[in-house]
Amino acid sequence: DLGGSITTPDVKLNLGGEFIKESTATTFLRQRGYGWLLELEEDDLDDNKPLLEELDIDLKDIYYKIRCVLMPMPSLGFNRQVVRDNPDFWGPLAVVLFFSMISLYGQFKVVSWIITIWIFGSLTIFLLARVLGGEVAYGQVLGVIGYSLLPLIVIAPVLLVVGSFEVVSTLIKLFGVFWAAYSAASLLVGEEFKTKKPLLIYPIFLLYIYFLSLYTGV
């Protein structure tokens, strides 16, 4: 006859160089094959990421894209295609919200209206581009149209100074609209459109005229 007893093993954990004896409950779970319940997943170690990284916000990338839009001349050496080829959401949204803020004049409802025009105006440009045979995604159009509002933001303080001079004010408005439309069109209107370029450039130009009218007419 065989007889005897099995004593509970004295299991210790090495945490930070110190040995700590496991509790009875922990030992019981490990003996029954449920030790996996006590294990930590590697993903849990990455939960303390910075907020900007969690939201996928790259401030350096946004700053570079802002410079690409404000300085659209190819001779300056910026890789402007990154605005189209690597679209993001938070940068254009910040630009649209800032444009909305300077357009308020005490009417907060204009914020939702400008965001609506941005979303559905970009959708219209996207659908037209696809019909004309362009290879562009809606996210790319949304990002380019949003970033290209920056020229209208730049001319806003100038309009406050020269607002009493109608001729100068009109010229600055036209300059701002052409600047914004050129920045957007140079990124969205590629060689695939060939002779159909005016069919896409014209609605982009009208969209920025409407954005400007929201600023000056609210």
Side-chain angles (χ1 to χ4, degrees):
D1 295 334
L2 297 177
S5 62
I6 300 177
T7 59
T8 303
D10 188 12
V11 181
K12 296 181 179 180
L13 296 178
N14 184 2
L15 298 177
E18 297 181 358
F19 287 94
I20 302 175
K21 185 177 181 179
E22 283 190 341
S23 64
T24 304
T26 301
T27 304
F28 175 80
L29 289 174
R30 292 190 184 278
Q31 289 178 344
R32 298 298 186 277
Y34 296 102
W36 57 272
L37 293 173
L38 305 174
E39 296 178 358
L40 294 176
E41 296 183 2
E42 293 182 0
D43 294 340
D44 295 338
L45 302 177
D46 299 331
D47 288 343
N48 296 324
K49 291 181 179 179
L51 180 59
L52 294 180
E53 187 176 346
E54 286 285 348
L55 297 176
D56 196 22
I57 299 176
D58 189 344
L59 296 180
K60 291 183 179 179
D61 181 61
I62 292 174
Y63 174 66
Y64 185 80
K65 291 177 180 177
I66 288 175
R67 295 171 64 191
C68 290
V69 170
L70 291 179
M71 294 177 282
M73 290 73 70
S75 58
L76 296 177
F78 289 107
N79 181 20
R80 301 188 65 246
Q81 287 301 316
V82 72
V83 182
R84 169 177 169 170
D85 297 338
N86 186 26
D88 66 287
F89 176 74
W90 297 108
L93 179 62
V95 174
V96 173
L97 288 177
F98 188 71
F99 180 76
S100 302
M101 291 297 107
I102 66 174
S103 304
L104 280 177
Y105 293 105
Q107 301 184 34
F108 286 93
K109 61 183 179 181
V110 75
V111 176
S112 59
W113 181 243
I114 289 178
I115 292 177
T116 301
I117 295 302
W118 169 48
I119 293 174
F120 286 97
S122 299
L123 179 61
T124 302
I125 300 298
F126 163 70
L127 294 176
L128 184 58
R130 298 294 293 194
V131 168
L132 294 176
E135 296 295 332
V136 63
Y138 176 60
Q140 294 175 325
V141 178
L142 197 68
V144 170
I145 295 297
Y147 274 118
S148 296
L149 274 174
L150 286 167
L152 300 186
I153 296 176
V154 171
I155 68 169
V158 182
L159 292 177
L160 294 177
V161 176
V162 301
S164 57
F165 303 96
E166 185 175 352
V167 176
V168 178
S169 178
T170 301
L171 291 176
I172 292 176
K173 290 176 184 178
L174 288 174
F175 172 73
V177 171
F178 275 108
W179 186 3
Y182 175 78
S183 293
S186 60
L187 290 169
L188 294 177
V189 182
E191 293 298 327
E192 65 268 23
F193 293 100
K194 297 181 180 179
T195 59
K196 301 176 182 178
K197 289 183 179 180
L199 296 178
L200 191 60
I201 296 176
Y202 182 65
I204 292 175
F205 181 74
L206 292 181
L207 180 61
Y208 286 108
I209 288 180
Y210 187 70
F211 274 123
L212 183 64
S213 69
L214 290 175
Y215 168 71
T216 58
V218 173

